[in-house]
Amino acid sequence: MRPIEYASPRTKEQAVRLLASTWGETAVLAGGTDLLSLLKDDVIAPRRLVNIKEIEELRGIAFDPRKGLRLGALVTIEELLDDPRVRQHYSALAEAAEGIRSPQIRNMGTVGGDLCQRPRCWYFRAGFGLLARDAQGRSLVLHGDNRYHAILGNEGPAYFVSPSSLAPPLIAYEARLRLFGPGGTREMPVQAFFRIPQSEEEREHDLRPNEIVTEILIPPPRGEASATYEVRQREALDWPLATASVALQMDGDRVTAARIVMGHVAPIPWLSPEAAQTLVNKTITEDVAQAAGEAAVRRARSLGRNGYKIQLARVAVKRAILRAVQGGAR
Amino acid sequence: MRDRRPSDERAASLSRREFLKISGLSLSLPVVTDFRVMRVAGAEVKIFGPGKVPVTLNINGKAYTAHLEPRVTLLEALREEFHLTGAKRVCDRGTCGACTVLMDGKPVYSCSVLAIDAQGRSITTVEGLMKDGRLHPIQQAFIDNDAQQCGFCTPGFVVACKAFLDKNPHPTPEDVRKGLGGNFCRCGTYMGIRAAVLQAAHMQKGGASHD
């Protein structure tokens, strides 16, 4: 790691003034679980770290049955998991948090950091940039080892997968995100925060270099049936291979509306209106869930070595739907 | 009157010019710079580094101070400055658990915490688990269940197991399997480790008290 300055502002106003207006100059330090690795691997080399953990208003979980859930950006994954209101009303979110299997990561990592963490693509981590191209501009992913890369939204030039565990359930619940920068507060659906970069100058987030995530707002529970299902290689600490989060609005046994979001399959959390549409006015059965899984991956395509992920994503969607209506059955 | 030592002799004979030369030289070296103050958003914020700054950590109930650059991790400070080598450096990327310590009672990867950031927190390393020369029950349980082979992951595992039992005093075997997901053992001693955790839980239930 290169030598670096460190500052601990007390307010978000101070924090954003300590951040530079161009990428690469400064970095935001919260849980640090991803940032320190990026610094050690020299993927980024900022001259200043702005520690935001002293900013009190970025903390805390608040729940009101009429207003919904408010998560401060600094809420740790463990705090989220330990909150009985989250488990009761937002089970897809609690199940996604459970998928972060390391207690150490859960104690340090924050919900804001989960959304802002950088992709795990090994070419990116080895310093070849987000789009991972060689000197001739060829994609290292297409010509190299792409076994963990995207199966959806992979028309290029980006092929990495979004690493966030919490974004799929947050998007399924139609959560919103608040950002703060020198110009004040911006608010957007969590879904709009993620974007597929088209050039090496762009990022996978709609976050400006001098902005910080301040809070996540989830609408009040509407009695939806919801769940997250992960397909993973290892039980212990690792990123899943494919995940699905679903939130189903029900009228008795009948689905009236659905949100289905896949994780780790595309450069952004992948909302599938096609899959959701197959569920409307249906009663969930194994066949109905299977059909939704098929619809979710209809446009998926293998890059060569990751074709197996299409089946995993199909199964994740099917099982998340079945789990949602079976009330959190494991 | 005591004898003047040679060093005193020299100090006494330093000219003002020489003194300024030496102090000027020391300023240009990357020595302890403390901090500078920047005025932002109507308040003064201290900027530390990139040179060495004084860092005080509370480790196993004792205060330790060193001059460290802000980039130094808690793990590096523990091992290289304070010679507490129980926490091991293996992956150094927050994925193996060998560097696990407790921060305010919660398990964290010390490789992924900056030392400067750990100030004001109560840090417990594996060295802090023994009390009055007696092993912590989880340490004894590791021995009883032959829960190590090469032993390199063991200190991190012991600390993680203690934290797990503090939070889950009556775990099922399934809880144990899931709850230790932050530590790896490449020798594959998981069976012994899980048995050790269950034994320690049983002992604690039996009333053997130990913090």
Side-chain angles (χ1 to χ4, degrees):
Chain A
M1 201 190 300
R2 300 185 194 202
I4 198 161
E5 280 180 3
Y6 169 98
S8 275
R10 296 297 176 126
T11 68
K12 60 181 196 278
E13 288 79 9
Q14 293 167 12
V16 301
R17 301 278 172 210
L18 288 162
L19 290 169
S21 57
T22 49
W23 287 116
E25 283 279 287
T26 54
V28 176
L29 171 64
T33 56
D34 188 29
L35 184 71
L36 262 62
S37 288
L38 291 166
L39 293 169
K40 289 173 188 177
D41 290 335
D42 220 20
V43 176
I44 55 169
R47 66 182 165 80
R48 178 187 298 158
L49 290 182
V50 178
N51 169 38
I52 60 170
K53 288 191 293 297
E54 302 298 317
I55 306 174
E56 214 39 54
E57 68 174 292
L58 303 187
R59 297 189 177 280
I61 303 179
F63 178 71
D64 181 314
R66 280 164 298 118
K67 289 187 196 150
L69 187 73
R70 182 261 184 201
L71 301 173
L74 288 176
V75 168
T76 65
I77 309 296
E78 189 81 347
E79 286 168 349
L80 183 71
L81 202 51
D82 285 346
D83 196 300
R85 301 164 300 181
V86 173
R87 194 167 284 280
Q88 187 187 343
H89 300 294
Y90 304 98
S91 49
L93 187 59
E95 288 164 3
E98 252 176 12
I100 302 169
R101 291 289 170 84
S102 159
Q104 290 93 324
I105 295 286
R106 291 199 305 264
N107 279 318
M108 304 161 73
T110 63
V111 296
D114 176 82
L115 300 179
C116 294
Q117 65 180 309
R118 307 302 311 275
R120 308 303 309 175
C121 166
W122 40 38
Y123 297 107
F124 171 66
R125 297 274 161 173
F128 292 99
L130 206 47
L131 303 183
R133 289 191 279 216
D134 67 12
Q136 283 76 46
R138 291 189 321 161
S139 166
L140 293 165
V141 179
L142 293 182
H143 294 91
D145 191 339
N146 49 43
R147 73 181 88 169
Y148 299 127
H149 286 81
I151 54 166
L152 282 159
N154 61 0
E155 295 79 25
Y159 303 101
F160 60 83
V161 296
S162 166
S164 170
S165 293
L166 304 183
L170 289 173
I171 294 169
Y173 290 123
E174 299 183 64
R176 297 179 70 79
L177 194 60
R178 274 198 191 138
L179 311 176
F180 184 80
T185 300
R186 284 203 293 151
E187 193 180 308
M188 64 181 74
V190 171
Q191 188 187 340
F193 181 64
F194 295 93
R195 48 167 61 162
I196 302 180
Q198 297 303 314
S199 72
E200 203 55 66
E201 286 68 49
E202 290 179 14
R203 286 214 165 188
E204 69 280 17
H205 303 122
D206 178 19
L207 182 74
R208 294 171 194 154
N210 51 4
E211 279 182 329
I212 57 171
V213 174
T214 56
E215 56 195 319
I216 298 167
L217 307 163
I218 312 179
R222 293 170 287 181
E224 57 265 87
S226 62
T228 293
Y229 191 91
E230 296 190 337
V231 182
R232 42 197 316 136
Q233 195 162 22
R234 276 200 309 216
E235 254 195 340
L237 169 62
D238 202 356
W239 278 261
L241 297 165
T243 74
S245 294
V246 303
L248 312 175
Q249 309 296 323
M250 308 292 289
D251 179 8
D253 277 351
R254 197 171 55 87
V255 176
T256 56
R259 299 263 290 178
I260 297 179
V261 190
M262 288 173 277
H264 303 267
V265 297
I268 54 174
W270 195 260
L271 185 64
S272 179
E274 304 96 319
Q277 195 50 46
T278 67
L279 298 181
V280 176
N281 287 322
K282 300 269 174 58
T283 298
I284 301 299
T285 62
E286 182 133 359
D287 288 344
V288 167
Q290 173 76 30
E294 298 291 348
V297 297
R298 191 150 296 142
R299 288 189 290 147
R301 118 188 136 100
S302 169
L303 297 175
R305 297 193 62 181
N306 63 353
Y308 73 99
K309 286 185 64 168
I310 298 174
Q311 170 65 5
L312 302 189
R314 182 189 287 130
V315 168
V317 168
K318 175 187 168 185
R319 293 190 186 170
I321 293 167
L322 292 174
R323 177 184 276 184
V325 294
Q326 287 156 8
R330 291 287 121 87
Chain B
M1 202 174 111
R2 69 186 175 89
D3 291 311
R4 291 175 74 185
R5 286 171 299 152
S7 61
D8 293 333
E9 191 81 54
R10 206 171 59 212
S13 66
L14 262 185
S15 73
R16 185 170 173 273
R17 182 186 170 80
E18 274 167 336
F19 173 76
L20 285 177
K21 240 162 60 184
I22 293 165
S23 53
L25 184 69
S26 65
L27 277 178
S28 70
L29 289 169
V31 292
V32 179
T33 50
D34 237 33
F35 58 83
R36 64 194 170 89
V37 170
M38 225 171 106
R39 205 166 167 81
V40 284
E44 290 186 338
V45 179
K46 291 174 185 169
I47 312 271
F48 295 91
K52 290 184 176 184
V53 297
V55 170
T56 299
L57 298 174
N58 174 357
I59 307 164
N60 302 328
K62 258 177 69 182
Y64 289 79
T65 297
H67 292 109
L68 306 172
E69 294 180 7
R71 64 173 164 168
V72 172
T73 65
L74 174 58
L75 176 64
E76 288 164 343
L78 289 173
R79 293 183 57 84
E80 284 150 39
E81 295 293 327
F82 307 133
H83 309 293
L84 294 164
T85 54
K88 297 286 183 274
R89 178 171 159 149
V90 180
C91 76
D92 202 30
R93 297 293 183 280
T95 50
C96 76
C99 67
T100 301
V101 301
L102 304 181
M103 214 155 80
D104 294 336
K106 294 174 187 161
V108 300
Y109 296 136
S110 61
C111 75
S112 298
V113 179
L114 293 176
I116 192 172
D117 225 17
Q119 296 183 105
R121 316 287 292 269
S122 166
I123 296 154
T124 307
T125 67
V126 71
E127 289 90 345
L129 295 189
M130 269 182 81
K131 287 274 161 69
D132 310 319
R134 278 176 43 235
L135 291 176
H136 187 277
I138 188 70
Q139 292 174 308
Q140 188 59 51
F142 263 65
I143 295 169
D144 296 345
N145 291 277
D146 201 10
Q148 61 274 309
Q149 275 187 42
C150 85
F152 214 71
C153 72
T154 305
F157 251 115
V158 165
V159 174
C161 289
K162 183 207 184 292
F164 170 76
L165 284 174
D166 288 347
K167 193 164 177 179
N168 308 275
H170 311 296
T172 63
E174 172 70 7
D175 296 337
V176 174
R177 210 163 48 85
K178 272 193 178 171
L180 300 179
N183 292 67
F184 288 145
C185 169
R186 290 294 79 156
C187 303
T189 58
Y190 297 105
M191 300 306 283
I193 292 168
R194 289 169 193 163
V197 173
L198 290 169
Q199 178 191 312
H202 189 73
M203 280 173 66
Q204 286 177 347
K205 223 184 300 180
S209 73
H210 197 304
D211 284 344

